[in-house]
Amino acid sequence: MATKVQLAQRPDADELLGRSPLAALVGMLLDQQVSMEWAFSGPYTITQRLGTDDLDAHEIAAYDPERFAAVLSEKPAVHRYPGSMAKRIQQLCQYLVDNYEGDAEKVWKDVDSGKELFKRLNGLPGFGKQKAQIFLALLGKQYGVRPEGWREAAGAYGEEGSHRSVADITGPESLAKVREFKAQMKAAAKAGK
């Protein structure tokens, strides 16, 4: 899966995201109510605190929940809600252990269609429709995971040349465009459009 990404805007964190399917999934899981860069830096912060060079679904699923929450709560906290996100990460890892032998890449490896990939992503704990579509678009646009119909399954997030989500961030310039798009959507929602 090794690919070059700039989602966290931090070289060490981005290097991990580029080579670790589980880190990419956890980053996507954390991507709510914190900045995108902070969310996608989270997996690297967790590896540093666990003293490892990658995340391991079996290890995280088996980790004592209180101790894992403490890992995420250390200052600076991995997320605005470290306790609840620790629980969600452990639920995701347990699901991967139960359904994919703990191998996050098996969620998308050898999948036949975008529709099937969306179904698998949407079934992950902590992933709803929008998060599944954004991650599907991220896989297609930046990780080369492009089963037939992937753009359609990703909805508007799959559109070429768009700047809607983390799937479109390839550096500081595109990050600014995504932020601008999100601000416009927020303003439109506030205005009742």
Side-chain angles (χ1 to χ4, degrees):
M1 174 174 147
T3 192
K4 185 170 172 46
V5 295
Q6 293 186 39
L7 307 176
Q9 304 287 303
R10 290 178 47 204
D12 291 343
D14 283 328
E15 187 276 330
L16 175 64
L17 294 167
R19 67 175 163 82
S20 171
L22 181 55
L25 268 181
V26 169
M28 189 71 229
L29 183 66
L30 292 169
D31 188 19
Q32 59 189 46
Q33 300 188 350
V34 294
S35 72
M36 292 173 282
E37 309 94 298
W38 192 256
F40 281 90
S41 293
Y44 179 74
T45 302
I46 295 168
T47 62
Q48 295 301 288
R49 292 179 183 172
L50 294 178
T52 63
D53 69 346
D54 198 356
L55 299 177
D56 180 289
H58 291 94
E59 180 184 336
I60 292 171
Y63 219 88
D64 176 74
E66 285 182 24
R67 286 185 57 223
F68 192 65
V71 168
L72 269 68
S73 298
E74 284 178 35
K75 301 289 182 208
V78 169
H79 193 274
R80 184 176 179 180
Y81 302 106
S84 62
M85 292 315 279
K87 184 177 179 180
R88 285 187 180 183
I89 292 169
Q90 286 193 289
Q91 289 169 338
L92 173 64
C93 288
Q94 187 61 58
Y95 185 88
L96 293 172
V97 167
D98 294 345
N99 296 281
Y100 295 100
E101 300 169 359
D103 183 353
E105 191 172 22
K106 286 187 177 183
V107 173
W108 54 86
K109 194 171 181 142
D110 301 325
V111 73
D112 292 333
S113 69
K115 189 175 179 179
E116 175 62 25
L117 179 52
F118 170 77
K119 184 178 170 187
R120 288 183 184 188
L121 292 170
N122 196 41
L124 295 173
F127 279 65
K129 178 183 177 186
Q130 184 179 35
K131 196 173 283 280
Q133 286 184 316
I134 291 169
F135 195 75
L136 199 161
L138 177 63
L139 287 172
K141 290 178 176 183
Q142 298 200 42
Y143 290 92
V145 177
R146 299 180 179 125
E148 187 177 330
W150 73 270
R151 284 192 190 274
E152 294 77 11
Y157 300 104
E159 291 174 6
E160 196 165 344
S162 68
H163 289 94
R164 295 179 179 275
S165 72
V166 70
D168 304 306
I169 297 172
T170 56
E173 193 176 297
S174 55
L175 173 61
K177 289 180 180 177
V178 169
R179 282 204 196 297
E180 186 179 315
F181 176 81
K182 287 184 173 227
Q184 289 171 356
M185 292 295 99
K186 203 174 200 175
K190 233 180 201 177
K193 292 182 182 176

